[in-house]
Structure formats: structure tokens, C-alpha cells
Amino acid sequence: MTIGIGSTHCLLPADRIAVVDLPEFGSLPPEDQDFATGCGIETVGVFGDGPQTELAAQACRALLDTDPREPDVLLLVGSRAPDVLLGSDPCAVQAAATLPGAFAFGIDGLGCTGSSAAWALARDLLLADPRRDRVIIAHTSRPTGPDRIRNPVTVVGDGAFATTVVRGGRPVLRAHRMETDGAFHDLFRVDYRQSPWYEWRERCASPSRYRFELAMHSRVRLGALVDGVLADAGVTKNDVSTVLMQNVTASAYGFYEDLLGLPINPVCQENLRAHGHLGAMDVVLNLDRLVAEPGDLVLALNNSPVAAWAATLWEV
């Protein structure tokens, strides 16, 4: 029995703001403004005030309206900052989405790569216990503090998703590999203990280390992961129909096209331009919006500056 995607619901704000109209843009130094206008993002979506867990629960409820079978497990991919300390965001989503029979827990500390890890973990949970039929994965993307422009990384937009991993689903998860490197765990941080939330600012310990050392690590790691995933599935790059990845900057697409010798699907750049970077939601949105033929092999890449990398091969 194959395991794949059952259904997906992506929740995006109705209101979008041009990057140059973001509240912090006018107070940024020129180099940060140049970065924001040059990274390929035109607008970002913005939700109103409210808990992140409610947005994830709203995505779950919308998905369950079309596929009402209750999941066995609710897996919440951690947001950039939890709604509460000591409480449980996964259980808050469980309560708000009215999923009393699902076991709720979270996966955190992997940044954007958390959604790819969740796919693989959901598959493993179904393989481990034949009594389980479906796992629902949920996530909300919002900025850590008030600012959305993250030089040297990206511009953050709002979004939430819910997706199910089920027996017999499509696309089929054909192969998956992932790695982490703890040497980069403190490259980015927010000193939240010493200041109120409206003063939270993300700090990059070394922009040059992010742009060069981490980029070179990513080149080597993802190249090896892709080779391994293709070998696991018994296919070659010539069999791959298209490549998806997370949406950070437009220039990143060229970097990975050179690495793989394969084009990045245009849906990624379309979503980057319209919605900005949606964290762990990027690859889910791109896969959901992809137009492909039955039987096509789709390679999904994901990485984050913590640092974590993942490569997943899907069969449409």
C-alpha cells in the first residue's frame, strides 16, 4: 500500500501589502530597503490579530469540511514563536479544530524544513501501526515580531495550511531523506526574554556566514540528498518532471538550478512574488498549486538556516 497526500487546504489572507508599504520599510537603512525590493517579492499577505493556533485550526476545519474523516494524529509544525509558553499549541489546535480523537503533538526547531520532516514522520507513523489511517499536518506562518523584512533572508508573509497523509493518497511519497547540522543552530536568534514582543528583532550573527558558508553547505548537502533519494526510488534526474523548493528569494532558484541541472517550477516564483516567504508552508503551497500529469515525478527541496535540509520525491 502506497502512502501519499489525501487533501490539502491552504489559507491565505485576502489582504496583501506591497513590500514598499510595510510599516518598517521607511525606517530601514538603504541596504535593507534594496534587499527588500530586490528579492523578488512584490506583496505579502497579512492576517488580522489573533492566535496562530486559530489559523491552523481554521485550515484544519476547512479541510475536514471536504474530507470529514477524523485523523488518528494531529502533527503541528511549529511556528516561529509559540502563542504561549508552558501551554501546548498542538493541543490548542486540536481543541479549536474539534479533533478529540487525534493524538496531538508538534515538530519544532527545523524552520522551513519542518513541513518536509512532518511528511516523512507522518508516513512512518502510518507504516508503524496498521490501525492508523491518516495524519493531519498543520502550520501557521507569521513573522516572529512586528517586522517582516528579514535581511539577508527574505520578506515574511502570513498563511496557514492543513494537509493529510493517508494510505493510498496521491501524490505518492516515493522517497525522502533529511539531515541537520548543529553548527548553525545559533546563526539566527531573537532575544525575547529581555524585551516585550513589539521590540522583538531577529538578529543574524553573521550575514556573510549565512550567504557563503551556509550556502556552500546547502549546495553539498542537498546535492547528496537528491542523489540518495533518486537512488532509493530507482530513478535518475532524467525521470524527474519538475522541482519545487521553498520560496525565499528569486536568486535562490538560479542557485539550485545550477546545482541540480534541473529547472525550478515557475509556480514557486509566482507564489514568492505574490505571497512572500511562508516558512514551512512554502513547499506545501507549491505542491498544492502545481499543475502536473499523472505519473510525473516531482522533487521537493527544503532547507532552513538552523540548518536542516530535506529532499522528497513525489509521484503525482
Side-chain angles (χ1 to χ4, degrees):
M1 175 66 72
T2 59
I3 292 174
I5 300 296
S7 54
T8 297
H9 182 83
C10 293
L11 184 66
L12 292 164
D15 296 329
R16 296 213 297 265
I17 299 176
V19 168
V20 295
D21 292 331
L22 288 171
E24 72 265 31
F25 185 85
S27 61
L28 293 175
E31 60 269 23
D32 287 358
Q33 291 185 349
D34 289 345
F35 168 79
T37 56
C39 64
I41 299 170
E42 295 178 1
T43 58
V44 294
V46 178
F47 283 124
D49 294 335
Q52 300 177 104
T53 50
E54 175 53 37
L55 293 170
Q58 186 177 335
C60 289
R61 290 195 300 266
L63 184 150
L64 293 168
D65 283 343
T66 60
D67 185 359
R69 289 170 291 179
E70 185 168 336
D72 304 286
V73 176
L74 165 63
L75 178 51
L76 183 68
V77 179
S79 57
R80 293 180 179 88
D83 279 347
V84 295
L85 296 177
L86 284 183
S88 172
D89 280 8
C91 290
V93 174
Q94 179 188 24
T98 318
L99 296 171
F103 177 74
F105 69 104
I107 182 169
D108 204 357
L110 297 176
C112 310
T113 314
S115 53
S116 296
W119 280 332
L121 180 56
R123 177 197 60 179
D124 292 348
L125 288 169
L126 295 179
L127 290 173
D129 188 344
R131 294 172 298 177
R132 299 187 184 111
D133 290 318
R134 59 190 50 237
V135 176
I136 189 167
I137 301 168
H139 171 71
T140 300
S141 167
R142 300 188 90 165
T144 307
D147 294 348
R148 295 179 179 273
I149 297 170
R150 297 175 58 200
N151 187 14
V153 185
T154 190
V155 182
V156 175
D158 289 352
F161 78 81
T163 189
T164 52
V165 175
V166 302
R167 303 180 190 279
R170 298 196 79 90
V172 175
L173 201 164
R174 287 281 302 276
H176 175 88
R177 290 195 180 197
M178 54 190 173
E179 294 180 356
T180 59
D181 186 342
F184 294 92
H185 75 278
D186 58 352
L187 186 56
F188 291 87
R189 66 188 304 142
V190 174
D191 185 10
Y192 75 94
R193 288 181 177 271
Q194 305 301 322
S195 56
W197 73 269
Y198 50 82
E199 293 181 1
W200 288 0
R201 297 294 182 275
E202 181 178 295
R203 307 297 180 192
C204 179
S206 174
S208 62
R209 191 173 181 222
Y210 169 78
R211 291 190 178 100
F212 300 108
E213 184 181 351
L214 181 58
M216 290 303 103
H217 270 268
S218 295
R219 187 181 186 93
V220 172
R221 296 282 191 132
L222 277 174
L225 286 172
V226 167
D227 290 343
V229 162
L230 296 178
D232 292 343
V235 299
T236 69
K237 287 183 181 179
N238 292 333
D239 298 310
V240 175
S241 301
T242 195
V243 179
L244 302 175
M245 59 178 289
Q246 81 274 27
N247 308 328
V248 180
T249 63
S251 61
Y253 301 132
F255 180 87
Y256 287 104
E257 285 179 340
D258 290 342
L259 167 65
L260 298 172
L262 293 168
I264 305 300
N265 193 280
V267 72
C268 300
Q269 192 141 349
E270 292 168 11
N271 287 329
L272 174 74
R273 186 184 307 115
H275 305 295
H277 175 51
L278 302 177
M281 181 174 171
D282 280 344
V283 290
V284 176
L285 177 65
N286 291 341
L287 184 62
D288 188 52
R289 298 286 174 88
L290 176 69
V291 177
E293 297 294 328
D296 282 354
L297 294 180
V298 178
L299 186 62
L301 308 181
N302 214 346
N303 70 304
S304 62
V306 288
W309 302 269
T312 312
L313 186 68
W314 296 94
E315 180 181 341
V316 177

